[in-house]
Amino acid sequence: MDPYRVKAEIDLDALQHNLRVIRQRAGPGGRVMLVVKADAYGHGARAIANHALRCGIESLGVGTSAEALELRHDGVRAPILVLGTIIDDEARDCLRHRVQIALHSSDRRAQIQELARTLGVRAQVHLNVDTGMGRLGVLPGRALDLLREIRGSSHLELCGLMTHVSAAEGALADSTREQARSFEGVLSAARSEHLLRGSIHMANSAALFTGLRPLYDTVRPGISAYGILNPDLPGSGDLKPVLSLRTQIVFLKDVPAGTPIGYSSTWRAERATRIATLPVGYHDGVPWRLSNCGEVIVRGRRAPIVGRVTMDYITVDVGHIPGAAVGDTATLIGTDRNETITVAEVAEKAGTIAYEITCSVGRRVQRLYTGGENLELAAQRAPDPRNTPSAYGWTASTPPSAQPPARPAAPRESGREVRGS
Ligand SMILES: *Cc1c(COP(=O)(O)O)cnc(C)c1O
């Protein structure tokens, strides 16, 4: 019997495939900053970042400095940008560990400059321009002043200029064209004053897959690398889902008609049936909203979630599935035989977005990494004349400079299993 109550299978080959698709969309010379915030959208930042770097991505984007430091602690040497903002207390550790910071105000610039001077380091910063997100970032009218201030700061190194797209439809939205125009205005003014340094980046997944132009030299995909994209967007079918979420039947009970199931008895058996209890709940990533409307796959067939989703358990009606037994695998997200439940389907039923579904796969869910061997073996074997260059333009004998393969792969360290952080 499977030793896991709940497991998230993470397919590193699917990740690699998606990165190849992203790389193609980014165009020749286009660099990829993979967004691994929120524990890589629930997939496990450590393993995802390490594998993606071996696949040749150039840098990482995170949500908080703690996420960046965790990766540094794990030996990641590639550039890491805290995409949003740090809070004051985080600045020191960021500078000490060469974590890049997005700047959006004069005050923050002054603070970082002063701190970097004290520590005797050069702080690496990106200027975030708010062209329509309305959240973080300096307004376009103030961007030039801030760039001049940065240039005049002895201990600041400008590593890039960024803006963030607000529309879920990416380049298909008028607002994105407006944002691009506004960003372009800042860039051309900065260019004429020779204030531009480092990379320029704007495109998230939606913008990348809807053909934002220009794409500049770096793209910042997150969700698409995990194989998820709004199915209405072009190219979403090229991606492969990375995560499957599975549990097992721990108890079966034949109940007579009229039996109430779960908290508040929100479901009653219309006829005699068989109820399976699964040891997975909303703490593990099954939204409470799936109460009486979600489904799981058992023996290749869909079984409805009946009664309320609870913290640790759900109940499903398997009366129509002959032979269903304790120990059977139940798939919450993923494929079993001819049936598939996608993250998009779960999100739709739960009335939320796909991002929230994968991000809420809880920490007690065992992450199990599969695949990824091909690349690892290729990087470790002696050069083989039959080797063809990989899609990333480097061969077995020339591993990517971004991440020398000195350190063993995260999934390898514990026998291809990494505990969720
Ligand atoms: C999260 C995030 C991204 C990635 O967005 P996806 O929609 O997941 O591709 C890119 N840039 C910034 C600033 C972000 O916060």
Side-chain angles (χ1 to χ4, degrees), residues 35 37 41 83 135 162 164 204-206 220-224 355:
V35 178
K37 63 195 181 193
Y41 296 37
L83 290 165
R135 189 175 62 173
M162 64 184 284
H164 193 35
N204 58 4
S205 297
R220 286 193 320 263
I223 196 94
S224 55
Y355 297 75

Side-chain angles (χ1 to χ4, degrees), residues 55-56 62 72 79 92 127 142 146 162 166 174 180 200 238 243 270 300 307-308 339 354 374-375 382 393 401 409:
C55 291
V62 295
R72 282 278 181 263
R92 183 176 293 266
L127 182 69
R142 280 273 304 132
L146 206 45
M162 64 184 284
S166 72
D174 290 338
I200 299 173
D238 300 341
L243 175 136
E270 274 176 18
R308 287 218 172 131
E339 277 291 349
N374 292 339
L375 185 64
S401 58

Side-chain angles (χ1 to χ4, degrees), residues 71-397:
L71 292 169
R72 282 278 181 263
H73 184 72
D74 195 43
V76 170
R77 280 163 283 178
I80 306 177
L81 169 64
V82 180
L83 290 165
T85 183
I86 58 166
I87 60 171
D88 287 357
D89 279 359
E90 297 174 310
R92 183 176 293 266
D93 277 341
C94 285
L95 299 199
R96 281 210 183 114
H97 295 275
R98 244 181 347 95
V99 171
Q100 302 183 346
I101 296 168
L103 280 190
H104 53 213
S105 72
S106 276
D107 290 351
R108 179 50 57 70
R109 182 214 56 82
Q111 180 213 2
I112 300 298
Q113 153 70 12
E114 190 47 35
L115 192 59
R117 207 178 51 75
T118 314
L119 294 174
V121 298
R122 275 195 103 197
Q124 301 188 323
V125 301
H126 293 237
L127 182 69
N128 183 9
V129 185
D130 178 13
T131 58
M133 182 70 185
R135 189 175 62 173
L136 297 162
V138 62
L139 287 171
R142 280 273 304 132
L144 263 268
D145 282 345
L146 206 45
L147 280 172
R148 291 186 199 110
E149 286 180 28
I150 292 170
R151 182 173 57 183
S153 306
S154 54
H155 289 71
L156 297 188
E157 176 189 351
L158 183 64
C159 292
L161 242 78
M162 64 184 284
T163 193
H164 193 35
V165 173
S166 72
E169 309 79 38
L172 304 178
D174 290 338
S175 63
T176 304
R177 279 188 279 278
E178 209 44 59
Q179 285 193 261
R181 202 168 308 138
S182 168
F183 192 44
E184 196 50 54
V186 171
L187 292 176
S188 58
R191 212 173 276 122
S192 64
E193 281 193 44
H194 306 288
L195 290 168
L196 284 190
R197 296 281 180 285
S199 59
I200 299 173
H201 44 109
M202 173 169 185
N204 58 4
S205 297
L208 180 62
F209 279 78
T210 49
L212 178 76
R213 291 291 178 275
L215 271 178
Y216 303 108
D217 58 82
T218 299
V219 297
R220 286 193 320 263
I223 196 94
S224 55
Y226 308 109
I228 302 164
L229 198 63
N230 180 339
D232 298 337
L233 297 186
S236 60
D238 300 341
L239 300 169
K240 293 185 182 168
V242 172
L243 175 136
S244 303
L245 188 63
R246 302 188 209 272
T247 181
Q248 59 177 300
I249 297 178
V250 290
F251 192 54
L252 279 168
K253 178 161 33 187
D254 290 316
V255 300
T259 303
I261 303 291
Y263 284 123
S264 303
S265 304
T266 59
W267 189 87
R268 270 172 206 276
E270 274 176 18
R271 60 185 75 80
T273 191
R274 179 167 287 183
I275 300 296
T277 301
L278 311 181
V280 62
Y282 52 76
H283 182 58
D284 306 296
V286 182
W288 182 85
R289 290 279 225 103
L290 290 190
S291 300
N292 290 311
C293 77
E295 290 180 318
V296 307
I297 310 170
V298 174
R299 296 188 176 231
R301 296 179 65 179
R302 285 177 178 249
I305 295 175
V306 295
R308 287 218 172 131
V309 172
T310 73
M311 201 180 288
D312 307 324
Y313 293 97
I314 60 174
T315 33
V316 302
D317 184 348
V318 294
H320 60 296
I321 303 177
V326 167
D328 275 2
T329 296
T331 299
L332 301 136
I333 294 169
T335 297
D336 176 11
R337 301 176 209 185
N338 293 326
E339 277 291 349
T340 298
I341 294 177
T342 62
V343 172
E345 175 186 333
V346 173
E348 160 109 40
K349 282 193 173 140
T352 182
I353 52 175
Y355 297 75
E356 197 182 26
I357 300 298
T358 65
C359 281
S360 54
V361 172
R363 51 188 294 167
R364 66 187 179 186
V365 175
Q366 185 83 48
R367 269 78 173 168
L368 297 171
Y369 295 90
T370 61
E373 293 91 351
N374 292 339
L375 185 64
E376 273 178 274
L377 287 176
Q380 286 161 5
R381 250 194 231 127
D384 178 338
R386 287 166 306 173
N387 267 336
T388 50
S390 82
Y392 307 115
W394 53 273
T395 62
S397 52

